[in-house]
Amino acid sequence: MPPSLAETFRNDSKRLEAALGLDAGSARIEVQCLLQVVLQVNRAHLLTHPEQILNAEQQAHFTALFERRLSGEPIAYILGEREFYGLNFRVTPATLIPRSDTELLVELALQHIPPRSAFRVLDLGTGSGALALSIAHARPEAEVTAVDASPEALDVARENAQRLNIANVRLLQSDWFSALGGERYDLIVSNPPYIAEGDAHLAQGDLRFEPRAALASGADGLDDIRRIVAGAKQHLNADGWLLFEHGYDQAERARELLRQNGYSGVFSACDLSGIERVSGGMIS
Ligand SMILES: C[S@@+](CC[C@H](N)C(=O)[O-])C[C@H]1O[C@@H](n2cnc3c(N)ncnc32)[C@H](O)[C@@H]1O
């Protein structure tokens, strides 16, 4: 007899916990998400039909997705989407999977952007468009430019802009500032690659499946941050801010770089775990 939904939850959640070291709650949610894709139903249906049995086709589909997850592939790539700042973003192996830690950068950015003004915002390394589109959605009158070096990532960001019906974002392929000429902005945000090339985390968990160019940045992880901090000065309007995310142990060096490059009001802000996660400064 094929397993019921209740049995699938119970048995397969345990298999995910054991194979990937997930906690019980996360494993259960992941099995739910896979079942929702296979059955094309909402979560309430799953919870209210524990006795339902999958037909052979559904069972084969579920097994195929489940085996991918069991082998470590990120759930976001299997589902093809990830929620970020209240919006659903399409993600593919060409894009970083947006992290909830990065929502801090959106919140800080929005504090700098007055509502109902044609504020010019630049997002460097936009990936799926998570930062640029969240900002543009919350500030529909802002003019947001988003760049990435990867054409494949830009295709995904473009698709997200269309799916989310966000029109105030311009997407450009650019090696950081190279395609921007003399353009200036009131605010520059970035979640750049910032992991050291030799960091063991690159060979672990979701990171194994994400684009290396989205993650690693030279021997100390700061190569791209150095380029961004130095380059942003020529692209900020007077009193414009640069805000960027960095690694858990990079805040002090990030502040040093900002001060050395003539930024004022230099600060770092903590994420929900109390870790200094975003630093920024202003060009007067
Ligand atoms: C850490 S990911 C951030 C993606 C997205 N902003 C987010 O927070 O989910 C860094 C992004 O920077 C892009 N990138 C790396 N080097 C770049 C460069 N030289 N110029 C422009 N973008 C670059 C990568 O392709 C990647 O999409």
Side-chain angles (χ1 to χ4, degrees):
M1 178 75 174
S4 66
L5 287 183
E7 285 162 339
T8 303
F9 272 138
R10 202 168 38 248
N11 300 338
D12 290 339
S13 300
K14 288 222 166 62
R15 287 179 70 196
L16 277 189
E17 278 178 62
L20 303 177
L22 298 183
D23 62 68
S26 306
R28 204 177 151 76
I29 288 172
E30 292 200 357
V31 173
Q32 270 177 11
C33 290
L34 296 179
L35 283 170
Q36 280 179 243
V37 170
V38 170
L39 297 176
Q40 293 293 301
V41 296
N42 60 23
R43 189 162 166 266
H45 176 100
L46 293 180
L47 298 176
T48 50
H49 296 75
E51 74 297 338
Q52 186 176 334
I53 306 284
L54 273 59
N55 65 32
E57 195 185 328
Q58 291 165 337
Q59 186 63 52
H61 188 189
F62 176 77
T63 303
L65 298 183
F66 185 75
E67 292 295 334
R68 285 169 64 189
R69 182 60 186 130
L70 212 52
S71 70
E73 188 175 339
I75 188 78
Y77 287 159
I78 299 170
L79 299 173
E81 60 182 27
R82 170 55 54 92
E83 194 258 19
F84 179 82
Y85 211 72
L87 300 174
N88 241 354
F89 286 87
R90 172 153 172 69
V91 292
T92 74
T95 66
L96 186 93
I97 301 163
R99 308 291 203 268
S100 55
D101 284 343
T102 306
E103 292 178 338
L104 169 66
L105 187 44
V106 179
E107 275 159 23
L108 292 169
L110 294 179
Q111 287 171 20
H112 283 83
I113 309 175
R116 288 177 296 283
S117 84
F119 214 73
R120 285 174 60 81
V121 182
L122 172 65
D123 173 24
L124 293 167
T126 199
S128 63
L131 275 171
L133 293 169
S134 300
I135 291 170
H137 183 256
R139 292 285 186 274
E141 275 150 59
E143 295 166 9
V144 181
T145 297
V147 304
D148 206 288
S150 156
E152 294 82 13
L154 286 167
D155 284 344
V156 177
R158 204 164 287 119
E159 186 185 336
N160 280 322
Q162 277 163 8
R163 275 162 49 125
L164 295 164
N165 204 15
I166 295 172
N168 55 327
V169 173
R170 176 178 64 140
L171 292 155
L172 292 178
Q173 187 180 359
S174 180
D175 175 10
W176 298 135
F177 304 95
S178 68
L180 296 173
E183 289 190 19
R184 290 188 179 265
Y185 301 88
D186 302 304
L187 173 67
I188 299 178
V189 297
S190 184
N191 175 19
Y194 54 70
I195 301 177
E197 296 282 357
D199 192 315
H201 291 100
L202 290 169
Q204 294 167 15
D206 285 3
L207 271 57
R208 288 171 294 164
F209 293 83
E210 293 180 289
R212 184 56 75 106
L215 299 169
S217 186
D220 64 356
L222 290 166
D223 279 5
D224 287 297
I225 287 181
R226 277 188 279 270
R227 286 181 64 191
I228 288 170
V229 170
K233 288 185 287 186
Q234 282 84 51
H235 292 276
L236 280 169
N237 286 325
D239 298 336
W241 282 82
L242 167 66
L243 305 172
F244 60 91
E245 181 171 317
H246 47 67
Y248 71 96
D249 57 354
Q250 293 173 334
E252 202 176 319
R253 278 172 296 164
R255 290 192 297 269
E256 231 171 74
L257 277 172
L258 285 160
R259 288 198 190 96
Q260 283 165 2
N261 279 275
Y263 290 80
S264 57
V266 171
F267 76 101
S268 298
C270 292
D271 62 20
L272 289 174
S273 320
I275 293 167
E276 288 183 317
R277 177 63 62 189
V278 171
S279 292
M282 187 182 75
I283 290 294
S284 6

